[in-house]
Amino acid sequence: MEALVPLVIAMSGMPALGIAAWYARADDAHSRGAALRWALVALAMLGGAIGLYFAGGSTTAVTTVVVAMVVAVNALLVSVVLHLRRSGGKR
């Protein structure tokens, strides 16, 4: 039962990996940049899930991992939005 929350978080990062694969199919530099950012979002969520699994019952460690994951994912999502806005409506 302790692995349920990390498993749910890891599985919720899979759509970001799918979006990264979708963007990686295109051959331009802008799509590769968007794919990289989406893959990093998925990696941050997977890293947070692994951290939560190993944090176990320590409240301090769990809080630290959750805060780090939330900050990383939100910063990467801001990066995705800014990168997509930079395209200038080409897509």
Side-chain angles (χ1 to χ4, degrees):
M1 193 66 166
E2 290 179 4
L4 184 63
V5 172
L7 181 64
V8 168
I9 291 175
M11 293 305 291
S12 66
M14 291 301 118
L17 197 59
I19 294 170
W22 183 267
Y23 271 111
R25 296 182 327 151
D27 210 18
D28 59 340
H30 187 268
S31 294
R32 285 193 306 268
L36 174 67
R37 284 166 175 81
W38 279 109
L40 288 174
V41 168
L43 185 64
M45 292 186 76
L46 181 63
I50 291 170
L52 281 177
Y53 180 73
F54 286 117
S58 173
T59 307
T60 306
V62 168
T63 304
T64 303
V65 169
V66 167
V67 167
M69 183 178 61
V70 166
V71 168
V73 168
N74 284 325
L76 285 167
L77 286 177
V78 166
S79 174
V80 167
V81 169
L82 291 177
H83 183 76
L84 292 177
R85 284 190 54 166
R86 224 177 287 139
S87 69
K90 295 176 187 172
R91 293 184 80 89

